[in-house]
Amino acid sequence: MDYFKQLLELLKIEREEDRNQYRKLTETTSVAERRANGLTWYPIAIRGSELGRGDYLTVEVERTTHQDIAHQLRAGMPALFFSNHDPKNDRVEGTISHQSGNRLKITLLTDELPDWSRDGKLGVELLFDDKSYDEMQDALKLANTLSQDPKNRLVRILTGQTAPTFQTDMPALPIPQLNASQQRAVDKIRAANELAIVHGPPGTGKTTTLVQAIKALWKDQNQKILVVAPSNTAVDLLSEKLSEQGLNVLRVGNPARISERLTGLTLDHKMAEHSLMKEIKKLKKQANEFRSMAHKYKRNFGKAERDQRKALFDEAHRILKEVGNSEQYIIDDLVAKAQVITATLVGSNQYMIRNLSFQTVVIDEAGQALEPACWIPILKAQKVILAGDHCQLPPTIKSNEAARKGLNTTLLEKCVTLHPEAVSVLEEQYRMHEHIMGYSSRVFYDNLLKAHPSVATHALFSGDSSLRFIDTAGCGFEEKLDGTSSTNPEEAALLIRHLTHLVTELGPFYRPQNFPTIAIISPYKQQLAVLNDQLIHTPELLPYLPKISVNTVDGFQGQERDIVYISMTRSNAEGEIGFLADIRRMNVAMTRARKKLVVVGDSSTLASLPFYADFITYAEQHDAYQSAWEWL
């Protein structure tokens, strides 16, 4: 079917671009730069090692310095264990099997520690992740085969060849803590035979709705449900909430931020608690003893020693085989007892659940999920629930060509267009003042959103306005090009001045500990550097720094703050706005604010796009327009 052939082609383009960017990043940079980019832990210390499945050695290491640097090392990723003594040759490949805090375990493709691990400083570095691409490619090929079978309704529905069906006689299941639109969504999910879609605009309680729907499905079917999302963070959040509802959740793969509550849900932890584990530990110890005895025989010895050594190795192998069987038994037992299994999209093909099939698969954050990755869990399902918001940030795609040719259109977007009858929109939001919500609701959500009474008119203090557009047109604040990113130092200074004034104004109403939270957002990375620099050089703001976060739009996806400032940055005579034209990104930025949104920008530049021209008119209608001259 051409549908999957085209996706395979796009995936190939994306993989090539991703590999090239990775190669550039690793081949031309020093170990310190790679560490700063989050690709490397260096230096590390070995904290222990043990033989695992298939005779591979698992080494536990700890990063001993630079512990505050954010990194991308996660369980399941391919990595390199190396020494700086001779980095070209002193290296062995493996897979990260566990990561938590400043420790990780890496399973190496060898059965003993290489001799060079005693020379020089050691490190662990990510390798290019071909495995994820292989998994996506295999899923698309299999989906292509299945799409030719008329009996496979699900694949045919998702590719638009046939329509989804719904049961009409489902008994009602009222859930008191849900509002009307959330209840309708749960009803539709229960009634769907193959597909249901939950469209959750900002602040509408999508997670709450999903959790209740999953609980209801489990009651209806009494069958295991697979719950997946593109990011570890999203999977962790759902795992935690489902567990709080009393469901037996098994988190496959490793939560990136191991909180105590989540550790208890992981396969590693549940295995460690299992009654058979004591016996396994004893056997492992025995096997390791046999192996170290065998290693004591040096290479120059006669037949008797050689036989003795072989006998010791054989015995170690036999014991480890027994260990492997027992571990597999425990895994099967835990998987069988789980009511909900949670994983990332690609993680849903890990060995312990690779061959399972599920009545229902739930894909959360589907608006940020690459379609080829979605097919990995979908092929295990008879029924799929997609949840997300295609009016917020799309997935990150490395190749402009692949994005242009359609890889940036998600399965969620396609299905919303193809099957409107499967969509439930959540309509009541619990985050924003109605004036902050209003413009977004009009442009993106057909004016469907309404603000819950608890937030509709909430303010920082009585009489404060919730919305401001500060217009820098005519002030001569020209943008500057800084590398590949734009900056606008004067606009930044104006924003900081306005914030300083606001903080002073709020002084009488709040104590430091309950002071409102503040986000400063700019779409341009270099502008953030300028803003940060000015922020720490403004003495009046220093006491409030713990309450202020500065980040890109992507950095705030899924979060909210009491006050949000957006620095639009672009200001030029040509009306060029670059990637500000991606209005979904702007939708995310504007809807992070609970009680006050302040947008600072140049109307003459921005108005070249109707979206911004209309926003400025909207601000005027709500008496929220101010010229920057009032602040200069």
Side-chain angles (χ1 to χ4, degrees):
M1 187 181 167
D2 290 348
Y3 184 96
F4 292 105
K5 292 208 175 86
Q6 192 206 355
L7 273 177
L8 279 162
E9 190 47 44
L10 295 177
L11 187 65
K12 192 173 148 197
I13 299 170
E14 173 70 0
R15 182 195 285 223
E16 277 314 300
E17 178 58 29
D18 196 1
R19 189 186 277 122
N20 289 337
Q21 287 186 18
Y22 187 85
R23 194 178 292 133
K24 261 196 197 119
L25 200 58
T26 51
E27 284 177 3
T28 58
T29 54
S30 67
V31 77
E33 288 173 281
R34 295 198 297 277
R35 178 173 61 200
N37 283 321
L39 299 175
T40 305
W41 279 14
Y42 175 86
I44 54 170
I46 296 177
R47 294 291 180 235
S49 67
E50 59 168 17
L51 262 181
R53 299 174 147 257
D55 258 5
Y56 291 134
L57 185 72
T58 298
V59 182
E60 182 170 13
V61 303
E62 181 172 15
R63 59 172 172 172
T64 46
T65 64
H66 300 84
Q67 294 181 337
D68 52 339
I69 297 182
H71 64 89
Q72 301 168 38
L73 283 72
R74 299 278 178 271
M77 289 185 154
L80 200 61
F81 178 61
F82 69 92
S83 155
N84 74 337
H85 182 66
D86 178 3
K88 282 276 177 283
N89 299 312
D90 295 352
R91 49 196 291 166
V92 57
E93 292 188 9
T95 305
I96 297 173
S97 54
H98 184 94
Q99 185 268 314
S100 138
N102 288 303
R103 286 195 175 210
L104 63 78
K105 289 181 180 175
I106 177 169
T107 300
L108 302 175
L109 298 177
T110 171
D111 62 356
E112 54 185 333
L113 263 178
D115 293 338
W116 52 255
S117 63
R118 299 169 194 76
D119 311 327
K121 288 183 179 162
L122 302 174
V124 171
E125 176 158 296
L126 282 185
L127 288 169
F128 180 71
D129 190 4
D130 262 316
K131 204 172 89 207
S132 297
Y133 283 103
D134 290 342
E135 295 277 12
M136 289 190 259
Q137 189 181 310
D138 292 348
L140 292 176
K141 286 179 177 163
L142 180 54
N144 189 32
T145 311
L146 294 174
S147 68
Q148 277 129 36
D149 175 2
K151 286 202 290 292
N152 195 307
R153 285 188 52 79
L154 183 59
V155 178
R156 295 170 67 81
I157 287 166
L158 292 172
T159 52
Q161 298 173 78
T162 176
T165 60
F166 297 87
Q167 299 171 43
T168 47
D169 52 351
M170 285 294 287
L173 181 71
I175 303 168
Q177 59 266 56
L178 299 185
N179 64 41
S181 63
Q182 292 171 330
Q183 178 73 52
R184 282 197 297 276
V186 173
D187 295 344
K188 181 153 281 183
I189 287 172
R190 292 177 62 227
N193 291 319
E194 307 89 4
L195 173 69
I197 299 168
V198 180
H199 181 191
T204 51
K206 173 174 63 73
T207 306
T208 307
T209 308
L210 268 190
V211 166
Q212 290 301 330
I214 291 164
K215 202 172 153 185
L217 282 175
W218 199 83
K219 276 188 187 150
D220 288 344
Q221 304 164 354
N222 215 343
Q223 283 181 342
K224 230 186 278 311
I225 298 167
L226 176 64
V227 178
V228 290
S231 71
N232 271 304
T233 320
V235 178
D236 289 347
L237 177 67
L238 275 166
S239 307
E240 201 172 311
K241 299 273 186 235
L242 288 162
S243 171
E244 282 166 9
Q245 289 291 322
L247 288 160
N248 178 352
V249 178
L250 178 63
R251 167 68 158 106
V252 173
N254 268 330
R257 40 147 239 239
I258 298 252
S259 67
E260 279 313 303
R261 291 188 301 284
L262 278 174
T263 322
L265 307 179
T266 60
L267 186 66
D268 282 0
H269 184 85
K270 291 191 177 198
M271 283 182 78
E273 303 274 281
H274 201 279
S275 53
L276 283 176
M277 222 42 204
K278 271 205 183 75
E279 184 55 24
I280 288 180
K281 276 213 170 87
K282 222 159 59 193
L283 287 170
K284 272 190 179 169
K285 195 171 165 212
Q286 222 176 341
N288 275 323
E289 278 163 7
F290 280 126
R291 284 182 60 255
S292 39
M293 276 154 68
H295 281 302
K296 289 204 177 87
Y297 289 97
K298 288 288 169 265
R299 300 283 185 270
N300 48 354
F301 44 67
K303 183 178 181 317
E305 286 94 343
R306 194 174 293 116
D307 289 347
Q308 183 59 28
R309 174 183 159 125
K310 184 179 180 310
L312 287 165
F313 270 132
D314 288 348
E315 187 54 22
H317 271 269
R318 190 192 62 71
I319 295 173
L320 282 171
K321 199 167 176 173
E322 199 182 319
V323 165
N325 293 340
S326 302
E327 286 188 333
Q328 192 54 55
Y329 172 81
I330 294 179
I331 289 169
D332 295 344
D333 185 41
L334 290 170
V335 167
K337 287 188 176 130
Q339 296 167 332
V340 178
I341 292 178
T342 61
T344 57
L345 296 167
V346 177
S348 66
N349 233 7
Q350 293 202 33
Y351 70 91
M352 64 295 279
I353 57 170
R354 179 176 282 264
N355 300 318
L356 290 185
S357 55
F358 296 84
Q359 169 71 35
T360 306
V361 168
V362 179
I363 302 181
D364 190 19
E365 299 295 358
Q368 281 188 281
L370 217 51
E371 179 175 350
C374 291
W375 284 98
I376 300 171
I378 288 171
L379 295 176
K380 303 177 187 303
Q382 290 164 40
K383 160 173 167 173
V384 171
I385 314 299
L386 297 174
D389 181 8
H390 48 288
C391 306
Q392 292 187 57
L393 290 180
T396 310
I397 293 170
K398 303 266 170 52
S399 157
N400 293 333
E401 184 192 352
R404 202 177 57 246
K405 289 183 172 169
L407 192 61
N408 61 352
T409 307
T410 58
L411 185 62
L412 175 71
E413 254 172 294
K414 293 178 185 174
C415 287
V416 166
T417 313
L418 288 168
H419 305 302
E421 71 278 22
V423 180
S424 306
V425 184
L426 304 179
E427 295 169 4
E428 192 161 22
Q429 64 84 19
Y430 297 84
R431 175 185 298 162
M432 297 163 270
H433 186 289
E434 56 193 4
H435 291 169
I436 298 174
M437 170 200 83
Y439 187 63
S440 172
S441 177
R442 191 167 88 198
V443 175
F444 295 99
Y445 308 109
D446 298 330
N447 267 329
L448 278 177
L449 286 190
K450 36 184 198 296
H452 185 265
S454 63
V455 300
T457 58
H458 67 178
L460 291 167
F461 56 85
S462 173
D464 184 44
S465 65
S466 62
L467 186 65
R468 271 277 170 263
F469 175 71
I470 301 175
D471 188 358
T472 65
C475 295
F477 293 0
E478 282 286 301
E479 66 185 71
K480 298 168 180 49
L481 200 62
D482 191 342
T484 51
S485 189
S486 300
T487 65
N488 193 328
E490 285 116 333
E491 180 183 294
L494 177 74
L495 186 153
I496 296 291
R497 187 178 312 165
H498 190 280
L499 174 60
T500 309
H501 178 81
L502 177 64
V503 161
T504 316
E505 213 180 350
L506 294 174
F509 300 97
Y510 296 94
R511 311 175 68 88
Q513 56 273 28
N514 72 347
F515 201 80
T517 53
I518 302 165
I520 301 176
I521 301 179
S522 172
Y524 293 95
K525 278 214 170 80
Q526 286 309 120
Q527 180 73 345
L528 294 178
V530 173
L531 283 158
N532 262 319
D533 185 52
Q534 297 190 7
L535 194 58
I536 55 177
H537 290 102
T538 308
E540 300 91 322
L541 293 177
L542 292 179
Y544 302 98
L545 286 185
K547 294 285 183 181
I548 303 174
S549 355
V550 183
N551 212 329
T552 57
V553 185
D554 305 51
F556 280 111
Q557 169 93 351
Q559 300 185 40
E560 51 186 69
R561 296 290 188 274
D562 296 317
I563 302 163
V564 169
Y565 276 84
I566 305 176
S567 168
M568 301 299 285
T569 312
R570 301 302 298 258
S571 172
N572 54 65
E574 298 72 44
E576 278 179 16
I577 58 171
F579 78 116
L580 289 185
D582 179 0
I583 61 175
R584 291 192 289 190
R585 207 171 226 97
M586 230 38 233
N587 182 33
V588 174
M590 290 173 166
T591 53
R592 300 306 95 200
R594 287 197 277 255
K595 296 180 178 176
K596 194 178 187 76
L597 172 66
V598 182
V599 181
V600 186
D602 177 342
S603 64
S604 61
T605 301
L606 295 172
S608 63
L609 195 73
F611 174 81
Y612 294 112
D614 293 347
F615 173 69
I616 294 163
T617 310
Y618 175 84
E620 285 166 343
Q621 288 162 352
H622 288 87
D623 199 21
Y625 175 90
Q626 263 185 330
S627 164
W629 287 104
E630 296 176 39
W631 288 92
L632 294 177

